[in-house]
Amino acid sequence: MVQLTQGPDAAVEGNPTADAHYEHPHPRKGFFTDTSICIGCKACEVACKEWNRNPVDSDYTLSNSSFDNSEGLGADTWRHVAFVEQDRQRVEEARESGRALVSLGMPTLRAPGGGTGGADAGAIRPSARTGARSGPLDGPIDAGLVGGLQAGPDMGGLDVLSSLGSAVDSSAVDITPPDTPEFRWLMSSDVCKHCTNAGCLDVCPTGALFRTEHGTVVVQDDVCNGCGTCVAGCPFGVIERRKDGIAQPKTDRSPAPGVHAEKPSKADKAEKADKAEKPKKNKNSGVAQKCTLCYDRMTDGQTPACAQACPTTSIRYGEREDMVVSAQERVAQLHAQGRTEARLYGANPKDGVGGTGSVFLLLDEPEVYGLPPDPRVPTRDLPRMYARAGIAMAGMVAAAGLAFLGGGRR
Amino acid sequence: MTTSEFDSYRPPEEPRRRRRRDRPDGHEKAGGREQGNRRHRSGLAPSTSDGGREMAMVPEPQFSTTASDSYYGRPIVKAPPWDERVAAYLVCGGIAGGSSLLAFGAQLTGRDVLRRNTRITALAAAGVGAVALVADLGRPERFYNMMRTVKLSSPMSLGSWVLAGFSTGAGVAAAADVDRMLGEKLPLGPLRGMLRAVEAPAGGLAALLGAPLAGYTAVLLSDTAMPTWNDAKDDLPFVFVSSASIAASGIAMITTPVRQTAPARALAVLGVVADVVATRYMEARMDPVAVEPLETGRPGMLMKWSERLAIAGGIGTLLGGRHRVVAAVSGAALVTASAFTRFGVFYAGKDSAQDPRFTVEPQKRRLAARRRAGITDDSITTVR
Ligand code: SF4
Ligand code: SF4
Ligand code: SF4
């Protein structure tokens, strides 16, 4: 809304719906996933599966990688909780690499409080901070929450710069979080990033993938013909084509909310056992599937199922700008406590995908969580690729012409 | 430390391993895969290195080791769900595109047999390719949704339109020649006159879209997050049009008597030179890690044999191209070389998605290079 009336830069940076030419765009919605308070309960994974009625995606086998047996995002798993065990050395390394980010002379991103940089001061949404304090799920990290996790120094008014400065030169590695010192668990709930420049959406030939009025990226199940181009186009490996007939829920799924299930009789159960023999096709088999940011719930003004289910507010949902602001406040807070391993992922509008709708706070390098360290939307290079291909094609025509001119003798 | 008679049943104590920390940024292990990734260590709590140690009942999860590590070695990007049918389409598209150019040349220079054969080749290859492409869809019955929109940002969309236009042109042109071949016995009635009238423009249309059909697939592959395909983006189109040229010429040399195939032989020789040079140049310019899938394993084998066959076919064409049998054998070598190139590139890209190393290492390298160059504001990881 406000962004669209600003300069083109503000529109592109703030809200990708500008590209989609919505007449009545809504504020861009997004997630802030704060992995530092995730407890790995997987409520989000389950809630997402249930709400979207996604089929099972494994044979209930153990993956032998910590407590993670769903292994990764895919056509049937739209939220995935990663578990990583790390020893102390690794924690120290992570702290070091985070500190290195600070000393890089970091980009002039928006300071906490909004704004898309100096030139676009007008784009600051006055509600950016206050808006974040509205709902219980959207609330900023308050002292109680943080205090419950660790005895951090009282941040008072969050004097970011000075506390950062002191964190850089004085706070030693010894300010360890009150965890087991030898060992830590990283848990992170991964999800589709709803990129500002989404590779999946760009390369989809049918227009099945589209940008919603909330700035999210959604597949239209009934349009997608399963060409699979989007799978390769996503720099984060999120979207996937659903297989048919193979993965089958062990029992029939519960009916839609509001519909009453009949009590299964004995005969029904026997019939069910019969049916279980031959796998039947999954809903949307052969079609690309991924997180919709609960488009159906959003349309009704509801919070996405995963965010609603999250007991620690590790997954927070709201207007993307507010999410970025909360994320920036949180990372400053952690740095001030000496936890320099904290860093944001996806909050930079200048990155390879133009910033992500789902912003993450990570406690180690992105690849440790299975995230690409420097993703770049492939279509950003497409004009150049077309140009190179054009030259090559011209060369082919020229070669053929030459062959006929030179090959005059028969 | 406690001792009991049951201690003898314990498996022997393993010395606690410390991981090496001296790797500066993980590049060194480009050669050997991190074996430690899959290593199961026993003894979760390092302080208890004596008999008080807990027995591990389940395999221990590994700790992630170096900075270039990944999440349990799992892929970061996902390979497209394309199988060999798409690779076959890549081959067919090249043959079809190149053949239409030869057909148009033959049409202009009055080489009847060459024109007829290449037109039929073009149509058949485009037809087989299109069927393979549709069959590979998750929902083949919805293939027509490709024609729902024209989307410049999607090479697949543009390619579908190119294929549709090409097939129309090649189909009409080939129909005219087939009719002629059958002695004009088909009950076409007044249609025959129309067919004759549009035959030449249709051949022109097919020729116009021939090079795009042969080359767009390079953009289709490069415009993805698959490390090897994406990293080849600058030079892959040159490889693909060269290999299309040799494939089409090769088929023409098989199907057509030597007296009419001089242009095809010339194109074959030009194509071989371009193919070998472009492929080598491409590989030399790629990231040393991203190029690995193209040089090792099955794709590496295919690429190597592709080059050998192309050179052999080229030499055969040059020296013995006027001999019918030698020409046909050389032609077969060239077609095979082209197919190997495309299958090799296809597999390499899919393979490069399987190991996170191919995603992580080149990306870290380019990020570090940008930082060294003083560009520090475009990282996806920030602290503010
Ligand atoms: S993360 Fe992947 S699937 Fe999600 S919007 Fe971005 S490109 Fe698309
Ligand atoms: S699989 Fe479906 S959503 Fe993905 S690119 Fe193809 S048509 Fe679009
Ligand atoms: S927003 Fe909805 S679809 Fe996306 S991960 Fe959460 S619950 Fe699943």
Side-chain angles (χ1 to χ4, degrees):
Chain A
M1 28 195 246
V2 181
Q3 290 89 338
L4 290 187
T5 57
Q6 304 294 324
D9 279 354
V12 171
E13 278 192 9
N15 197 335
T17 50
D19 284 347
H21 303 294
Y22 277 102
E23 271 177 37
H24 306 290
H26 301 243
R28 182 177 183 190
K29 288 296 205 299
F31 284 124
F32 166 43
T33 306
D34 180 354
T35 71
S36 70
I37 54 174
C38 177
I39 55 171
C41 68
K42 302 189 199 192
C44 51
E45 244 187 83
V46 174
C48 175
K49 267 250 200 263
E50 292 225 323
W51 178 260
N52 296 295
R53 297 160 172 245
N54 287 344
V56 286
D57 50 5
S58 77
D59 314 321
Y60 301 123
T61 51
L62 297 180
S63 66
N64 281 346
S65 27
S66 188
F67 290 104
D68 173 16
N69 293 304
S70 48
E71 309 220 350
L73 293 176
D76 305 326
T77 307
W78 300 349
R79 265 278 176 196
H80 165 251
V81 182
F83 277 71
V84 184
E85 281 89 1
Q86 293 190 330
D87 56 6
R88 177 173 206 154
Q89 230 162 356
R90 183 62 218 177
V91 179
E92 281 161 13
E93 277 176 7
R95 197 153 289 170
E96 203 45 57
S97 71
R99 200 197 310 272
L101 282 178
V102 179
S103 52
L104 260 180
M106 281 314 287
T108 48
L109 282 187
R110 309 164 203 212
T116 51
D120 294 314
I124 301 177
R125 298 182 54 259
S127 64
R129 299 191 69 156
T130 48
R133 288 160 209 267
S134 51
L137 277 168
D138 294 339
I141 302 185
D142 53 282
L145 176 58
V146 176
L149 277 165
Q150 66 239 338
D154 183 12
M155 289 309 299
L158 264 185
D159 185 358
V160 178
L161 289 181
S162 64
S163 48
L164 263 185
S166 69
V168 169
D169 33 60
S170 68
S171 62
V173 178
D174 285 322
I175 308 180
T176 35
D179 272 328
T180 325
E182 291 292 344
F183 172 82
R184 74 167 173 175
W185 247 324
L186 297 179
M187 294 141 193
S188 161
S189 182
D190 196 9
V191 71
C192 168
K193 314 298 175 292
H194 294 279
C195 312
T196 307
N197 302 316
C200 61
L201 186 146
D202 285 344
V203 301
C204 172
T206 63
L209 274 155
F210 77 113
R211 175 81 62 187
T212 71
E213 66 273 33
H214 306 285
T216 58
V217 180
V218 175
V219 186
Q220 304 172 72
D221 304 334
D222 52 346
V223 174
C224 170
N225 62 16
C227 72
T229 319
C230 54
V231 178
C234 171
F236 299 94
V238 169
I239 195 167
E240 195 182 28
R241 192 166 85 183
R242 186 169 282 175
K243 296 187 185 65
D244 40 62
I246 302 165
Q248 174 63 20
K250 300 279 173 191
T251 56
D252 275 359
R253 321 189 128 257
S254 52
V259 178
H260 287 287
E262 295 148 51
K263 276 255 163 81
S265 64
K266 279 234 167 86
D268 266 347
K269 274 187 186 156
E271 198 181 293
K272 242 182 236 169
D274 262 5
K275 261 194 276 175
E277 294 295 304
K278 45 181 178 337
K280 58 180 185 214
K281 282 208 163 186
N282 281 320
K283 180 171 161 260
N284 290 335
S285 63
V287 164
Q289 295 281 278
K290 74 170 189 72
C291 162
T292 64
L293 220 138
C294 282
Y295 191 38
D296 46 351
R297 295 170 67 95
M298 202 189 281
T299 331
D300 291 343
Q302 290 196 44
T303 306
C306 53
Q308 181 136 12
C310 178
T312 63
T313 68
S314 169
I315 301 173
R316 304 211 274 152
Y317 161 79
E319 294 187 15
R320 197 234 175 209
E321 270 193 44
D322 301 342
M323 294 296 109
V324 172
V325 170
S326 319
Q328 285 162 341
E329 284 172 359
R330 176 66 175 153
V331 78
Q333 193 178 30
L334 288 172
H335 273 251
Q337 293 167 2
R339 298 182 68 183
T340 54
E341 67 269 33
R343 66 204 74 187
L344 299 182
Y345 188 78
N348 186 353
K350 292 187 187 153
D351 69 22
V353 295
T356 60
S358 319
V359 177
F360 297 82
L361 184 146
L362 306 177
L363 298 178
D364 204 335
E365 299 281 359
E367 59 271 20
V368 169
Y369 297 90
L371 296 167
D374 186 37
R376 184 177 166 87
V377 60
T379 33
R380 184 170 282 195
D381 303 315
L382 193 57
R384 183 181 163 82
M385 291 184 217
Y386 278 145
R388 297 286 293 183
I391 299 173
M393 291 166 192
M396 183 176 177
V397 173
L402 212 61
F404 275 95
L405 290 182
R409 24 181 201 126
R410 304 211 177 160
Chain B
M1 183 168 173
T2 58
T3 48
S4 84
E5 53 180 312
F6 299 112
D7 277 356
S8 56
Y9 297 125
R10 285 185 192 277
E13 192 79 22
E14 272 179 80
R16 179 158 188 254
R17 272 172 281 197
R18 289 202 77 82
R19 256 160 269 107
R20 287 184 18 200
R21 290 283 144 191
D22 46 344
R23 279 175 246 164
D25 54 5
H27 287 179
E28 272 84 324
K29 66 175 197 170
R33 290 283 174 76
E34 180 68 286
Q35 289 304 318
N37 233 7
R38 291 274 165 226
R39 187 171 61 207
H40 288 152
R41 302 200 318 152
S42 58
L44 192 60
S47 56
T48 57
S49 59
D50 50 27
R53 173 177 66 104
E54 275 179 51
M55 297 286 284
M57 288 295 120
V58 289
E60 287 299 340
Q62 99 262 353
F63 290 114
S64 75
T65 48
T66 65
S68 82
D69 253 4
S70 60
Y71 186 64
Y72 300 105
R74 301 227 186 93
I76 288 182
V77 292
K78 284 193 169 57
W82 302 333
D83 63 15
E84 280 72 11
R85 287 174 289 199
V86 169
Y89 168 69
L90 299 181
V91 179
C92 290
I95 294 174
S99 295
S100 74
L101 284 176
L102 285 177
F104 191 60
Q107 173 185 329
L108 294 183
T109 56
R111 292 172 165 92
D112 294 349
V113 186
L114 181 65
R115 185 198 63 219
R116 184 194 71 202
N117 290 351
T118 45
R119 276 184 179 176
I120 294 173
T121 310
L123 178 63
V128 170
V131 169
L133 204 55
V134 170
D136 193 68
L137 294 177
R139 288 292 186 94
E141 78 278 12
R142 291 188 193 163
F143 77 93
Y144 55 83
N145 277 0
M146 291 284 187
M147 308 279 116
R148 227 179 130 247
T149 171
V150 180
K151 206 165 147 187
L152 293 184
S153 69
S154 168
M156 184 66 110
S157 169
L158 289 191
S160 302
W161 285 103
V162 167
L163 178 61
F166 179 91
S167 305
T168 311
V172 170
D177 257 324
V178 169
D179 178 46
R180 214 174 285 124
M181 190 167 73
L182 297 178
E184 311 204 339
K185 295 224 177 63
L186 292 179
L188 288 179
L191 279 179
R192 178 163 292 121
M194 279 167 62
L195 197 58
R196 290 278 174 277
V198 295
E199 175 187 353
L205 173 68
L208 192 67
L209 295 176
L213 182 67
Y216 94 85
T217 42
V219 181
L220 173 71
L221 297 186
S222 288
D223 187 27
T224 64
M226 301 307 104
T228 300
W229 289 343
N230 187 258
D231 205 49
K233 54 181 171 276
D234 273 354
D235 304 312
L236 195 58
F238 294 91
V239 174
F240 271 26
V241 295
S242 312
S243 97
S245 305
I246 63 173
S249 319
I251 293 215
M253 284 157 62
I254 296 173
T255 56
T256 310
V258 287
R259 72 192 154 77
Q260 290 208 351
T261 57
R265 295 199 301 271
L267 183 62
V269 174
L270 284 176
V272 167
V273 174
D275 184 57
V276 172
V277 171
T279 308
R280 294 210 159 201
Y281 186 64
M282 173 180 85
E283 292 182 0
R285 287 218 302 170
M286 284 171 69
D287 181 280
V289 172
V291 78
E292 252 179 59
L294 207 49
E295 292 175 336
T296 53
R298 179 171 56 169
M301 207 64 165
L302 287 168
M303 296 304 282
K304 205 180 296 160
W305 275 101
S306 162
E307 188 181 86
R308 286 176 191 160
L309 284 169
I311 291 175
I315 292 176
T317 308
L318 206 55
L319 301 182
R322 293 174 196 223
H323 186 277
R324 187 72 180 87
V325 175
V326 178
V329 171
S330 305
L334 293 177
V335 179
T336 317
S338 165
F340 279 9
T341 300
R342 283 160 191 254
F343 268 83
V345 170
F346 177 79
Y347 285 134
K350 290 200 56 158
D351 289 355
S352 70
Q354 301 312 324
D355 192 329
R357 200 167 61 93
F358 300 125
T359 305
V360 171
E361 289 192 19
Q363 288 194 7
K364 288 187 76 135
R365 191 153 33 233
R366 73 187 183 206
L367 182 62
R370 286 206 307 277
R371 283 183 176 158
R372 271 199 304 279
I375 307 168
T376 53
D377 64 345
D378 62 354
S379 163
I380 194 167
T381 323
T382 53
V383 285
R384 251 174 255 171

